[in-house]
């Protein structure tokens, strides 16, 4: 497998010219190359002797630009990018048999599934599959997270559409969730209640974020009506979406899932969840 490096455009050109029979998969960044390699066989018919080279360009826009520049020159390329919130923000999407979008927010979303958690519990607690599944209560945990993220995703979309410049995703889930209290045994709704006002701590933090972006809108002279119309437009879209879990930033899900699993078997970190996710690779497309 190639080392996890990002190539310059000139470097990629040189690689392409070296072997026109080789398949190249162009991706956004270096994370999870082994996972992409596992995925590749699902989206292309490969000869048994065909060698795959995965190349990262350092961002979705760079991948799209590269596609537009090279689509007529090279027929041995395919492209794979994150879904992000492109559909909600009317961002141009490339429609081509060689250009693929993940069906979830990012690659990390696919590492968070029931099979990953059950397997980790089986290994760490020496339980059989059925007992591990019952202990994990994955669907309850998932339902809890989806409920909390509906309003948060609505805020994320509002921030992005109005170009408000408020950090929303890259800082991770910690700023919205009181991890030590809110996520411990959250499917049973224990240890999650703020005794002062009887509401979930995470919900309280999410409301604080909403107040923050409202204040930012005023600061940036965004019309109050425009802000509310944008917010409620996205709120309606999110409320009616059939798969909220796919819209939660993968970085956040990995963060939350690893903390949740620690309740059962101690030292579970994000790297371990990702590694198990690669082994439990589901259908991505």
């Amino acid at each position: 497998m190639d080392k996890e490096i990002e190539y310059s455009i000139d470097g990629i050109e040189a690689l392409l010219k070296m072997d026109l029979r080789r398949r190249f998969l162009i991706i956004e960044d270096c994370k999870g190359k082994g996972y992409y390699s596992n995925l590749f066989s699902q989206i292309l018919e490969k000869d048994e002797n065909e060698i795959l080279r995965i190349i990262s360009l350092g961002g979705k826009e760079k991948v799209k630009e590269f596609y537009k520049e090279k689509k007529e020159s090279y027929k041995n390329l395919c492209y794979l990018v994150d879904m992000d919130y492109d559909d909600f923000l009317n961002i141009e999407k490339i429609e081509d048999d060689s250009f693929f979008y993940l069906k979830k927010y990012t690659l990390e979303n696919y590492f968070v599934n029931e099979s990953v958690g059950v397997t980790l519990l089986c290994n760490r607690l020496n339980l059989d599959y059925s007992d591990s599944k019952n202990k994990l209560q994955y669907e309850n945990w998932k339902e809890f997270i989806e409920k909390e993220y509906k309003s948060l995703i609505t805020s994320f979309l509002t921030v992005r559409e109005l170009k408000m410049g408020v950090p929303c995703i890259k800082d991770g889930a910690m700023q919205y969730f009181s991890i030590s209290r809110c996520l411990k045994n959250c499917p049973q709704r224990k240890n999650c209640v703020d005794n002062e006002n009887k509401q979930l701590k995470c919900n309280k933090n999410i409301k604080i974020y909403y107040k923050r972006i409202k204040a930012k809108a005023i600061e940036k002279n965004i019309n109050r009506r425009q802000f509310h119309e944008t917010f409620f437009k996205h709120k309606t879209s999110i409320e009616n979406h059939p798969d909220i879990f796919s819209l939660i930033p993968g970085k956040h899900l990995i963060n939350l899932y690893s903390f949740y699993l620690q309740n059962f078997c101690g030292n579970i970190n994000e790297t371990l969840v990702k590694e198990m996710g690669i082994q439990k690779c589901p259908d991505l497309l």
Side-chain angles (χ1 to χ4, degrees):
M1 184 180 297
D2 295 330
K3 292 183 179 180
E4 297 191 355
I5 59 175
E6 292 182 2
Y7 295 87
S8 67
I9 299 300
D10 289 341
I12 295 173
E13 286 275 15
L15 288 172
L16 294 175
K17 291 175 181 177
M18 285 172 58
D19 190 352
L20 293 176
R21 297 181 62 187
R22 175 177 293 189
R23 288 285 191 182
F24 289 82
L25 178 63
I26 311 299
I27 63 174
E28 293 185 43
D29 53 45
C30 296
K31 61 188 178 185
K33 275 195 172 182
Y35 197 69
Y36 280 120
S37 193
N38 197 354
L39 164 67
F40 190 80
S41 62
Q42 300 179 41
I43 60 177
L44 286 179
E45 293 182 1
K46 292 179 23 175
D47 296 329
E48 289 185 2
N49 297 322
E50 188 174 32
I51 300 175
L52 166 69
R53 185 185 290 272
I54 301 175
I55 297 175
S56 61
L57 292 183
K60 179 185 286 187
E61 290 307 311
K62 290 183 179 180
V63 174
K64 291 166 73 173
E65 290 171 10
F66 188 81
Y67 161 81
K68 292 174 182 178
E69 291 176 8
K70 308 300 180 185
K71 63 181 179 179
E72 300 301 330
S73 302
Y74 299 98
K75 302 301 182 182
N76 58 335
L77 304 180
C78 62
Y79 307 80
L80 182 63
V81 296
D82 297 335
M83 179 180 73
D84 298 318
Y85 292 135
D86 292 10
D87 290 337
F88 293 92
L89 300 174
N90 295 319
I91 294 173
E92 175 199 16
K93 294 182 74 173
I94 292 173
E95 296 185 7
D96 188 287
D97 290 341
S98 66
F99 203 102
F100 300 89
Y101 287 82
L102 294 175
K103 291 184 178 180
K104 298 178 186 288
Y105 187 84
T106 57
L107 177 67
E108 288 96 336
N109 288 68
Y110 295 94
F111 298 133
V112 178
N113 57 67
E114 184 176 51
S115 181
V116 167
V118 170
T119 302
L120 286 171
L121 264 60
C122 285
N123 294 342
R124 292 297 184 90
L125 303 180
N126 196 27
L127 298 174
D128 62 27
Y129 188 90
S130 179
D131 288 341
S132 294
K133 183 175 180 178
N134 290 336
K135 192 174 187 67
L136 181 64
Q137 297 187 55
Y138 176 82
E139 290 300 326
N140 289 341
W141 174 81
K142 179 182 175 183
E143 180 184 352
F144 174 83
I145 297 300
E146 286 181 324
K147 178 182 176 183
E148 296 303 320
Y149 261 90
K150 284 184 178 180
S151 61
L152 192 51
I153 293 170
T154 300
S155 293
F156 291 165
L157 290 168
T158 302
V159 166
R160 288 194 170 183
E161 179 168 334
L162 297 179
K163 298 179 172 58
M164 297 174 67
V166 180
C168 55
I169 293 173
K170 67 178 182 179
D171 292 334
M174 290 290 202
Q175 63 178 311
Y176 309 110
F177 288 80
S178 298
I179 296 292
S180 61
R181 299 189 67 196
C182 187
L183 290 187
K184 189 173 180 61
N185 299 321
C186 62
Q188 294 81 27
R189 302 298 194 267
K190 296 178 181 177
N191 302 323
C192 295
V193 178
D194 183 329
N195 291 326
E196 181 179 346
N197 54 25
K198 303 301 180 185
Q199 69 176 342
L200 293 173
K201 290 282 283 186
C202 55
N203 186 270
K204 180 179 179 181
N205 292 345
I206 291 170
K207 287 181 178 178
I208 290 173
Y209 180 74
Y210 174 71
K211 291 179 180 179
R212 180 184 174 192
I213 66 172
K214 281 183 67 177
K216 189 68 174 182
I218 295 172
E219 178 185 321
K220 294 179 70 69
N221 294 318
I222 295 172
N223 182 278
R224 181 178 178 181
R225 180 176 179 179
Q226 180 187 13
F227 175 84
H228 285 290
E229 286 181 349
T230 303
F231 183 87
F232 284 104
K233 175 187 70 175
H234 290 306
K235 179 179 173 63
T236 300
S237 297
I238 296 303
E239 288 290 344
N240 295 325
H241 197 277
D243 186 10
I244 298 299
F245 211 62
S246 69
L247 305 179
I248 300 173
K251 177 181 179 180
H252 289 202
L253 283 179
I254 289 285
N255 192 198
L256 298 174
Y257 201 30
S258 62
F259 269 97
Y260 178 58
L261 290 170
Q262 286 177 22
N263 289 304
F264 304 103
C265 46
N267 188 24
I268 298 289
N269 57 38
E270 295 180 23
T271 299
L272 185 60
V273 172
K274 291 178 183 178
E275 289 174 351
M276 184 60 68
I278 292 174
Q279 296 177 34
K280 299 292 179 180
C281 178
D283 288 336
L284 301 192
L285 302 177

